Amino acid sequence: MKVNHTNKLIKVHTIIPCYEEDLSALFLSQHTGFEKIEDFKAELGEPYSLLNSVTNKKVFLIGLGKKARSENISQSIRKAVFFNLRLDGAIQIFADHLDDKTLEQLAYGAALAFYNINKFKETEEAKKIEGVKIYTTNPKASAIIKKSGLIAESSMNAMDLVNLPSNIKTPFYIADYAVSSGKAHGFSTKVIRGKDLEKNKLHAVYAVGKASDNPPAFIVMEYKPKKVSKLTKKIGLVGKGISFDTGGISIKPSANMHYMKCDMAGGAAVIAMMEIAAQLQLAHHIIGIVPVAENTLGGNAYRPGDVLKTYSGKHIEVIDTDAEGRLVLADALAYMVKNYETDTIIDLATLTGSCVATLGYFAAGLFTTNDELAASMYESGINSGDKVWRLPMWDEYKAYMNSDIADIKNLSSVPVAGATTAAKFLEVFTNKHKCWVHLDIAGVSFTDSEIYKSRTATGYGIRLLTDFISKQ
Ligand code: BES
Ligand code: ZN
Ligand code: ZN
């Protein structure tokens, strides 16, 4: 692990994350040798570097904003560590003044700073710093930092999958990853591949993926705690796993189409959550389902106007082949409901551009009719940094999805409230499950950052799920 805990102060470069409330004369003079720093307000992400006037060592202050707020602190820490990786010497983060929650975020962000994006460069960019030490005397620190480091490791595995180009991460590649990850971490994985999907009635997954030379698959993972009783909570996770989304015959415009390699980010988050559950030996029974397919064109591609049979027995009229995520999820949700009696079902999907237009890049759309579940997810969002915001699920919206010839169609008749109409579509396949929540993560999974030149995976959802499941 790159991030460790120490209770010894060592003479190295020091990063000091501080809230606006921390900026007292005493705090500043202790850490910088100055009582006041005119230009530093400790706003979220604000950097300031100086030489400690007493020790002559470099000090990097990084603002965390106001204490009571819920912006993504780990992102600021990640950036602060990342931009210091080329320093000579060692880095220590001073964290003795921070509470447990901030420490958790700090350790996660610091670990992510070491994420290696340049997998396909002949020569790696030079980094001199090997790891960071977090200084604190908090007795819980080592456990908190260890847990955050573990969550960060699985997040980075998921980020690797999302950042990989689609010529490499074919549906079978993702399935094979899940199998070997299960063996390594301790959960079981079953994969239904190619034409076998039809034999297993997973007709919608097969239809979406059949035009590609890289055949579709259906991944079912299961983590069972050592002791299972009637009280053991059973949680179902479903993640959209489109390895590339061209739009199919309803083809997307080519500008920015390369970003559509991120269309399996929900699936990657579900696989990462299985890894974390197994490693933390959670007391919950967790089933993870990821339908994987490449949505592309070909003589064999499914078409607008086609009617697809689904796992549930219901038929879908395809109006637009670019609304493919809801088709594979229809089978996955129905499979979950029919084969596992779960207390809760959570699905994560990069489902609609409409959700991005509504909420932008800082919160996922949350859809459920269960108010308690919505409140609990909201709280986990604030706690973990992976924020969610609830959007409507009223039945009025359902009428837009009614088809004349089939049980439902995959595109709304009216081009409004696209994220909600997608959620109303999914609801049809949950068999009125009392505790189902859909998270539209299209805006938050793959974003611009201050670290890289173009959009990259964020690992969104993994901390959210970990926090939420731990509360059940
Ligand atoms: N994968 C896209 C959604 C998406 C958009 C993901 C932006 C990440 C960033 C999805 O399959 C899609 O194409 N949705 C269509 C739905 C429409 C045809 C109803 C969209 O949002 O335009
Ligand atoms: Zn699409
Ligand atoms: Zn898609």
Side-chain angles (χ1 to χ4, degrees), residues 7-315:
N7 51 16
K8 287 197 191 76
L9 272 172
I10 35 177
K11 279 190 184 152
V12 286
H13 308 293
T14 308
I15 295 178
I16 306 177
C18 40
Y19 286 107
E20 291 176 19
E21 290 90 334
D22 292 327
L23 288 187
S24 68
L26 180 65
F27 183 88
L28 282 175
S29 61
Q30 264 173 359
H31 295 291
T32 67
F34 301 96
E35 287 203 345
K36 202 168 166 38
I37 299 171
E38 280 300 335
D39 309 338
F40 183 67
K41 305 272 179 304
E43 281 167 12
L44 182 76
E46 186 185 351
Y48 196 90
S49 55
L50 74 166
L51 275 185
N52 185 316
S53 69
V54 180
T55 62
N56 224 19
K57 289 273 168 195
K58 268 197 184 146
V59 176
F60 303 93
L61 299 171
I62 176 82
L64 299 181
K66 286 205 167 51
K67 258 187 193 160
R69 305 243 298 257
S70 51
E71 282 87 359
N72 203 335
I73 290 167
S74 49
Q75 197 55 32
S76 301
I77 304 285
R78 180 180 178 188
K79 190 179 79 178
V81 176
F82 180 86
F83 285 116
N84 284 306
L85 291 180
R86 270 177 232 102
L87 283 177
D88 234 343
I91 294 183
Q92 174 175 263
I93 306 177
F94 184 86
D96 214 21
H97 57 303
L98 300 174
D99 61 16
D100 292 3
K101 207 70 242 162
T102 310
L103 190 60
E104 201 178 299
Q105 302 258 353
L106 185 152
Y108 183 82
L112 254 52
F114 291 89
Y115 179 68
N116 207 354
I117 191 113
N118 45 1
K119 299 259 154 63
F120 300 100
K121 284 198 191 211
E122 202 166 59
T123 44
E124 247 189 59
E125 278 160 40
K127 274 185 217 142
K128 290 193 175 146
I129 304 285
E130 301 265 306
V132 297
K133 293 240 186 269
I134 298 175
Y135 172 83
T136 165
T137 52
N138 179 343
K140 284 188 263 166
S142 137
I144 293 174
I145 293 168
K146 198 167 160 222
K147 185 176 167 195
S148 282
L150 193 143
I151 298 170
E153 286 295 323
S154 280
S155 297
M156 290 190 276
N157 292 342
M159 284 154 65
D160 273 349
L161 282 176
V162 175
N163 288 329
L164 268 179
S166 301
N167 58 329
I168 295 179
K169 54 140 175 246
T170 61
F172 279 17
Y173 180 101
I174 300 169
D176 293 343
Y177 175 86
V179 172
S180 58
S181 168
K183 280 188 194 140
H185 296 102
F187 59 87
S188 68
T189 308
K190 176 176 109 175
V191 182
I192 303 167
R193 293 175 195 255
K195 286 218 163 70
D196 285 353
L197 291 169
E198 289 268 54
K199 278 188 217 142
N200 285 276
K201 302 194 181 125
L202 294 159
H203 306 292
V205 183
Y206 187 69
V208 170
K210 71 185 167 143
S212 173
D213 285 341
N214 306 309
F218 196 75
I219 311 170
V220 184
M221 297 162 285
E222 189 164 2
Y223 162 75
K224 248 188 194 167
K226 290 209 174 74
K227 279 191 210 131
V228 182
S229 74
K230 273 194 185 143
L231 295 175
T232 306
K233 282 269 162 19
K234 213 168 173 186
I235 295 168
L237 305 175
V238 175
K240 173 176 172 183
I242 297 297
S243 66
F244 192 75
D245 184 9
T246 64
I249 289 187
S250 317
I251 195 166
K252 287 181 181 294
S254 58
N256 291 333
M257 199 205 269
H258 61 294
Y259 289 146
M260 281 303 128
K261 69 175 182 179
C262 80
D263 215 14
M264 34 61 72
V270 168
I271 301 173
M273 190 57 228
M274 299 306 296
E275 290 180 1
I276 292 167
Q279 278 179 285
L280 295 180
Q281 294 278 298
L282 296 185
H284 311 77
H285 183 178
I286 305 177
I287 295 103
I289 295 185
V290 182
V292 276
E294 180 175 355
N295 184 26
T296 194
L297 301 89
N300 188 31
Y302 78 123
R303 318 159 188 78
D306 284 0
V307 172
L308 308 180
K309 199 172 168 182
T310 64
Y311 187 83
S312 65
K314 289 191 165 67
H315 286 82

